[in-house]
């Protein structure tokens, strides 16, 4: 096992990794920007190294500084968390070149799974359905032709994309030309790659994803699936496990996820995202080759520590966990508490936390880097806490989440959080019934 | 005791107007004197003396929620030597700080046997190489941004340094 | 001893205006002098010296951690009417408060049809019954502990009352 | 189901009951003393009623005021928590007389199980072994005769006692006369009843207890057992579940617990305490007819909410949970954080909490009524927080507890907690091996 690892991330996920490592007896170096020098992971770290000024591009995305920090501190491995460099094959490769273990999949599988087109190809080879669509399009003419075959509406997507960025719905051939040009520009801006693909656009669907863990040698297990349909502008806000799909469909999707991950000899923690339409058709979307924000709900129902498993697999420990060892129990829900003002269209809010009180009691878990006196820096994303609950069933989990949200106090001058949004969802009749598609926030919350 | 801890101790001393502190532990002995024997001697003419403004105390010392033992920065940033109390004549506020622009290992000389690029007291010109920072097996020369006299070298040869760490104090010409 | 511990010691010293502290434990020895030998030597001529105002040290406002809506005391204690702003002439500080010695229901009269025991303005004697508190089906007569004039009756007939709730204000004779 | 219940308790257990009730959609009245008017359960309650001055005898033990409070607030049931009136059959009876449901067993079974002698009799009838001993002793001569038969050392105990109070070890006939008189006085003082019983004194043993839930009509299930051997002066400090007993012995003890509880048609949550000697002999000690401080470890391994179950059973809901429905998973540990100065022989410490930070993350649960700005009143016991962790196995649970303790900050002028004690236990080699008997604190922690 490693003696020392470095976390190349910030906020709650840096703390999450630190906790897992500490429980394994591993020393933790936290690499941080100047804006995060008083952050909780830094304060709790065994060592902390400043790797750049506040802007991410110069710190959390600064590969030379991150590698130097790992080298001078003697860290044997780097955990990239999520976001930043977590899915950057080049970074993983440079880690390898410098004799540092990248806690994640190989650069090769990141590369092949990292693009939409690559993912579709692997899905086809492992017999996992994908949304009818194309490979990389060479021209708008090719796009028009493909759209005719598939039938409108269609979706233009950046081949290198993720997180819903750079996507455009096209409802007719008239719209195609402009949309194609715009999508190219966006793809270039967001992902430095203008390549586009085209897919059938499915308007109403659930976002269901399968959590897998693999040893890189063909052994893969799933840790159940999650429903992440409560989204706003393609950003997930609430996740739950298990999904509310009927059992046979659940099992089909879980099997498809494992099949694909086995096909690529996947190593470490990964997530296969599917869309599931109201008729029970499911399509593989993409694989996220990292730990995800919402991994906690899978931990709650399985009792496993997925980040520890990541570290153990990366350290070369034999991965002996069998599918039959994994017993899922009850129902878990996660609410992402963002520092945003729900009453003002989720406008980001920053400031110093003066009063902080998190809920406790049965079945309540809090993952947060906040502390009383901490100032939320303006440089990064707005996630400040994850509130996760577990109950015997979905009904109890919802009641518990409502109770826990009502106990939560995050206060300071100018600080607002999305707690009111989540309370509203927990009281929403559609949500309670489980009638949730990805358009929930826009169609089911107007009153 | 590392640089960060020392920093926050110094900050605390200032906030609480402490003039002297001695701390002995099995590991180290720390002595700090701040401000010295400050005397406000009023002149014979009518004057208004404004004593040092009390630190805006209403700033609650934010106890960071850390109960764990102090970091053990084995190979880590740390090592900034304790700022010595300057004699009243030495006004450090005019010095220019040369900070590390990258993370790496600090070297004062181009090779183990060579003479250091600069010593304290040396006069340097803008653009003159002050040190090398090794990062990912590359040697990065760090040049002076001002002409002047090297007053302090704050990092020892071979030490690891983090981004933004102060390496030199230079008194501009 | 780490920076954080030291900080809170320093804060305590400041809060309690301690100028010197020596602390020896098996692990360490700590000496702190605060404020130093600061001397304000006034010259013979007229001067105005403003000594450092001791900061009314940061008393953090203790926000109780309650985000839930305010209690809805349906049948509950609450019901004490909002304290009215007394006119300057009315000096309530001399009034004696009659508080509920038990939990129960407040009745102003011995039976629904009867006259109240007392009204505002009535003169009462020590030992005179002021009201009844019903608790567990028992009627408990509450007597006045002083002689004087009933100035305020703060609870309405039939209201539930909690322990220690103020029922009457009596101006002693 | 009830619409409104009253909590006749304070501190963390009042909060625990409030949380369970709130998740069930029940309004909660919190009865409190003047010292607790700013306590967290009071601040979170739907209604709060002051029932007396700070001393417990005049508030939390003041039956007329408590009943009046329930009546005037319209509460249909009273949850007594633990301690105070939780095991007072007279209180339970008076609740019944006033048409208020007492959330707990019937006064009759509390009465019969409440005394040592009664408990022994019931154990004998339900074929559960007890420590060789006597019924209530009429005289010191009778005590001497019994001690000769059983063999020294023997233990004199208050028949009405509990919590280790009023117990005396007698090692020879010479010591008996004085010990008998002293024990009588103590029994009278603590329990208003001088009756004594005598038992074989077992020096080295584990304290193992079985959690049961019954419907009052003969249906009883167990929720596993707990090991509570880490004690100081007969007060539990650390509990864990499951115990480290070998499986066949575990099953024997669990079966014995259920058998006894079934024999009395037990209703609600109860705990059967056993002592288990190093040879694997086990003896029933007593039954606690209430929810216990350490119920949380059983919740962690079972995923059940025992306080909700208590409320549901009291409300007359059918108790359909079968033994086979209860799947225990992993290992849980609870550390009781008391406001006591470990460095000064656990001297109580009171004061205002200025800085508070509780740990979070996977498998960590905190039950505490503390908040930043709260002043610990001097009138009640020193328990300020329960830190509970769950892990895949005992080793992970210990590592997690160590990690969680290290993150805990409870600070204020003069405030000390037992966190350092618990950290020391988690690092103790005997503890890690599981070589724990009730003398652990006195014999295994000297360095």
């Amino acid at each position: 096992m490693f003696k020392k690892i470095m976390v190349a991330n910030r906020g709650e996920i840096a703390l999450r990794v630190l906790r897992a490592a500490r429980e394994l007896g591993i020393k933790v170096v936290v690499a941080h920007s100047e804006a995060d020098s008083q952050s909780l992971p830094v304060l709790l770290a065994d060592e902390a190294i400043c790797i750049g000024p506040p802007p991410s591009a110069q710190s959390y995305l600064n590969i030379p500084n991150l590698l130097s920090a790992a080298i001078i501190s003697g860290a044997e491995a780097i955990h990239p968390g999520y976001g930043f460099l977590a899915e950057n094959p080049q970074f993983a490769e440079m880690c390898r070149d410098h004799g540092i273990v990248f806690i994640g999949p190989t650069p090769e599988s990141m590369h092949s799974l990292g693009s939409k087109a690559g993912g579709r190809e692997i899905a086809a080879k492992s017999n996992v359905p994908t949304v009818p669509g194309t490979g990389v399009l060479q021209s708008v003419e090719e796009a028009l032709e493909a759209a005719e075959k598939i039938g409108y509406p269609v979706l233009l997507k950046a081949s290198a994309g993720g997180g819903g960025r750079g996507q455009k719905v096209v409802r007719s051939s008239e719209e195609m030309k402009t949309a194609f040009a715009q999508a190219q520009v966006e793809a270039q801006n967001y992902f430095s790659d203008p390549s586009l693909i085209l897919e059938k656009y499915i308007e109403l669907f659930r976002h269901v994803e399968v959590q897998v863990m693999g040893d890189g040698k063909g052994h893969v297990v799933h840790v159940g699936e999650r429903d992440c349909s409560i989204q706003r502008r393609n950003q997930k806000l609430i996740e739950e496990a298990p999904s509310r799909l009927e059992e046979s469909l659940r099992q089909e999707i879980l099997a498809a996820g494992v099949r694909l991950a086995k096909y690529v000899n996947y190593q470490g923690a990964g997530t296969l995202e599917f869309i599931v339409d109201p008729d029970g058709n499911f399509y593989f979307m993409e694989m996220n080759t990292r730990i995800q924000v919402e991994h906690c709900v899978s931990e709650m129902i399985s009792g496993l520590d997925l980040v520890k498993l990541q570290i153990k697999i990366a350290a070369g420990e034999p991965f002996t966990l069998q599918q039959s060892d994994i017993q899922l129990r009850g129902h878990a829900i996660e609410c992402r508490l963002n520092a945003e003002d729900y009453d003002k269209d989720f406008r980001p809010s920053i400031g110093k936390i003066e009063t902080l009180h998190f809920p406790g009691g049965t079945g309540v878990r809090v993952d947060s880097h906040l502390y009383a006196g901490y100032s939320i820096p303006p440089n990064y994303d707005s996630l400040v806490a994850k509130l996760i609950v577990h109950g015997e069933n979905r009904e109890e989990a919802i009641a518990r989440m409502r109770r826990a949200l009502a106990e939560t106090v995050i206060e300071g001058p100018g600080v607002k959080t999305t707690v009111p949004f989540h309370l509203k969802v927990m009281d929403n009749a559609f949500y309670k019934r489980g009638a949730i598609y990805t358009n929930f926030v826009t169609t089911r919350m107007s009153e | 005791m590392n640089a960060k801890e020392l920093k926050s101790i110094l900050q605390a001393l200032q906030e609480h107007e402490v003039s002297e502190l001695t701390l002995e532990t099995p590991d180290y002995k720390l002595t700090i004197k701040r401000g010295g024997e400050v005397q406000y001697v009023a002149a014979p003419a009518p004057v208004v003396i404004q004593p040092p403004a009390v630190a805006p105390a209403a700033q609650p010392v934010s106890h960071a929620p850390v109960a764990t033992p102090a970091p053990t920065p084995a190979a880590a940033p740390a090592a900034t030597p304790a700022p010595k109390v300057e004699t009243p004549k030495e006004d450090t506020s005019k010095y220019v700080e040369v900070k590390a622009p990258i993370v790496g290992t600090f070297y004062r000389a181009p090779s183990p046997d060579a003479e250091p690029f600069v010593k304290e007291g040396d006069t340097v010109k803008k653009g003159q190489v002050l040190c090398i920072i090794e990062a990912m097996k590359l040697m990065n020369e760090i040049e002076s941004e001002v002409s002047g006299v090297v007053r302090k070298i704050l990092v020892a040869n071979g030490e690891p340094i983090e981004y933004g760490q102060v390496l030199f104090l230079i008194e501009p010409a």
Side-chain angles (χ1 to χ4, degrees), chain B residues 2-152:
Chain B
N2 60 29
K4 228 174 238 169
E5 274 191 59
L6 193 56
K7 250 187 167 172
S8 53
I9 289 173
L10 290 175
Q11 194 179 13
L13 294 185
Q14 190 175 25
E15 269 171 26
H16 299 95
E17 294 187 275
V18 172
S19 62
E20 257 188 80
L21 175 139
T22 309
L23 174 61
E24 275 189 70
T25 80
D27 296 333
Y28 56 84
K29 181 179 172 176
L30 174 70
T31 307
I32 299 175
K33 289 191 191 181
R34 270 193 64 244
E37 320 263 312
V38 180
Q39 292 196 347
Y40 294 91
V41 183
V47 287
V48 180
I49 296 184
Q50 289 193 308
V54 173
Q59 179 91 342
V61 176
S62 65
H63 299 270
V66 181
T68 41
T72 49
T80 322
K84 285 170 199 160
V85 176
E86 308 297 342
T87 58
K89 287 161 205 162
E90 197 174 28
D91 184 0
T92 59
S93 69
K94 288 180 187 162
Y95 293 171
V96 171
E97 293 181 336
V98 179
K99 294 181 181 178
I102 56 171
V103 180
T105 307
F106 176 86
Y107 292 111
R108 288 188 56 193
S111 70
D113 306 325
E115 282 295 299
F117 291 108
V118 292
K119 300 187 301 292
E120 289 185 3
D122 280 4
T123 300
V124 293
K125 285 186 184 146
K126 186 175 171 180
Q128 185 176 334
V129 173
L130 299 174
C131 65
I132 278 174
I133 299 178
E134 181 193 348
M136 300 175 67
K137 294 169 193 163
L138 287 178
M139 297 298 172
N140 303 277
E141 294 184 340
I142 307 301
E143 299 174 356
S144 183
E145 288 173 14
V146 293
S147 299
V149 178
V150 176
R151 288 298 176 197
K152 297 276 167 203

Side-chain angles (χ1 to χ4, degrees), chain A residues 31-34 49-53 57-59 61-72, chain B residues 76-77 98-107 131-143 145 155 159-168:
Chain A
H32 64 91
S33 76
E34 287 181 325
I49 299 187
C50 182
I51 40 92
Q58 296 167 61
S59 48
L61 295 170
N62 184 330
I63 295 180
N65 275 3
L66 283 165
L67 284 174
S68 291
I71 291 164
I72 64 170
Chain B
V98 179
K99 294 181 181 178
I102 56 171
V103 180
T105 307
F106 176 86
Y107 292 111
C131 65
I132 278 174
I133 299 178
E134 181 193 348
M136 300 175 67
K137 294 169 193 163
L138 287 178
M139 297 298 172
N140 303 277
E141 294 184 340
I142 307 301
E143 299 174 356
E145 288 173 14
V155 184
E159 264 187 25
I161 50 171
E162 64 184 337
Y163 174 85
Q165 190 168 342
V166 180
L167 311 173
F168 300 92

Side-chain angles (χ1 to χ4, degrees), chain A residues 222-235:
Chain A
H222 70 76
V223 190
E225 84 290 6
R226 300 182 284 259
D227 186 313
C228 312
S229 301
I230 307 282
Q231 304 181 349
R232 180 178 168 273
R233 299 188 180 167
N234 290 304
Q235 299 298 316

Side-chain angles (χ1 to χ4, degrees), chain A residues 19 23 305 308 327 329 361-362 366 396 400 403 407:
Chain A
R19 284 169 168 161
E23 290 177 17
D305 185 324
K308 272 191 199 168
Q327 299 295 329
R329 182 165 80 189
T362 332
V366 180
E396 183 176 61
R400 188 159 282 160
R403 187 271 289 172
E407 286 180 28

Side-chain angles (χ1 to χ4, degrees), chain A residues 333-352:
Chain A
I333 300 175
E334 170 179 286
C335 286
R336 301 190 187 190
L337 306 190
N338 293 336
E340 294 171 357
D341 190 345
Y342 170 57
D343 290 331
K344 297 200 173 125
D345 199 30
F346 293 87
R347 189 164 70 188
S349 106
I350 54 167
K352 184 171 179 180

Side-chain angles (χ1 to χ4, degrees), chain A residues 187-431:
Chain A
Q188 176 65 39
N189 286 349
Y190 285 129
F191 311 108
S192 312
D193 179 356
S195 306
L196 297 180
I197 59 171
L198 184 147
E199 279 175 3
K200 177 161 186 61
Y201 178 57
I202 295 163
E203 298 226 48
L204 198 62
F205 64 92
R206 296 172 190 266
H207 174 118
V208 174
E209 58 187 31
V210 178
Q211 174 71 54
V212 295
M213 297 288 316
D215 68 353
K217 297 162 198 159
H219 176 50
V220 173
V221 294
H222 70 76
V223 190
E225 84 290 6
R226 300 182 284 259
D227 186 313
C228 312
S229 301
I230 307 282
Q231 304 181 349
R232 180 178 168 273
R233 299 188 180 167
N234 290 304
Q235 299 298 316
K236 296 166 188 166
L237 297 173
I238 300 176
E239 301 95 354
E240 59 186 278
S243 69
R244 310 247 303 153
L245 300 178
E246 70 174 41
E247 190 56 24
S248 59
L249 181 58
R250 267 194 76 220
Q251 293 302 338
E252 256 189 275
I253 294 176
L254 290 169
V258 170
R259 201 159 61 233
L260 193 153
K262 272 191 177 159
Y263 180 82
V264 295
N265 282 339
Y266 192 75
Q267 175 172 319
T271 300
L272 299 102
E273 298 192 334
F274 291 88
I275 66 178
V276 184
D277 76 15
D279 300 325
N281 300 306
F282 67 94
Y283 307 102
F284 170 70
M285 297 292 285
E286 62 181 19
M287 182 160 186
N288 296 318
T289 58
R290 52 170 158 87
I291 195 76
Q292 286 189 285
V293 178
E294 63 269 25
H295 74 279
C296 308
V297 290
S298 303
E299 292 186 328
M300 295 296 266
I301 61 166
S302 68
L304 297 174
D305 185 324
L306 299 180
V307 178
K308 272 191 199 168
L309 287 175
Q310 280 192 300
I311 296 172
K312 286 180 178 176
I313 289 169
E317 289 205 356
F319 181 60
T320 56
L321 193 72
Q322 300 301 314
Q323 193 62 58
S324 58
D325 299 332
I326 302 174
Q327 299 295 329
L328 306 181
R329 182 165 80 189
H331 198 93
I333 300 175
E334 170 179 286
C335 286
R336 301 190 187 190
L337 306 190
N338 293 336
E340 294 171 357
D341 190 345
Y342 170 57
D343 290 331
K344 297 200 173 125
D345 199 30
F346 293 87
R347 189 164 70 188
S349 106
I350 54 167
K352 184 171 179 180
I353 307 295
E354 289 187 346
T355 310
L356 183 69
H357 193 83
F358 281 124
T362 332
V364 174
R365 167 178 173 186
V366 180
D367 274 43
S368 173
H369 57 291
L370 295 187
Y371 61 86
Y374 174 71
S375 290
I376 303 168
N379 313 85
Y380 313 106
D381 75 21
S382 62
L383 179 66
V384 292
K386 300 189 304 196
L387 196 52
I388 308 120
V389 300
H390 182 257
E392 282 185 67
N393 48 49
R394 189 169 186 269
E395 188 189 353
E396 183 176 61
I398 292 174
R400 188 159 282 160
M401 181 60 87
R402 195 191 298 112
R403 187 271 289 172
L405 285 165
E407 286 180 28
T408 303
V409 181
I410 303 174
E411 283 178 359
V415 176
K416 297 273 179 187
T417 73
T418 48
V419 165
F421 165 81
H422 292 293
L423 274 169
K424 211 167 158 188
V425 175
M426 293 304 132
D427 282 330
N428 182 290
F430 294 98
Y431 181 75

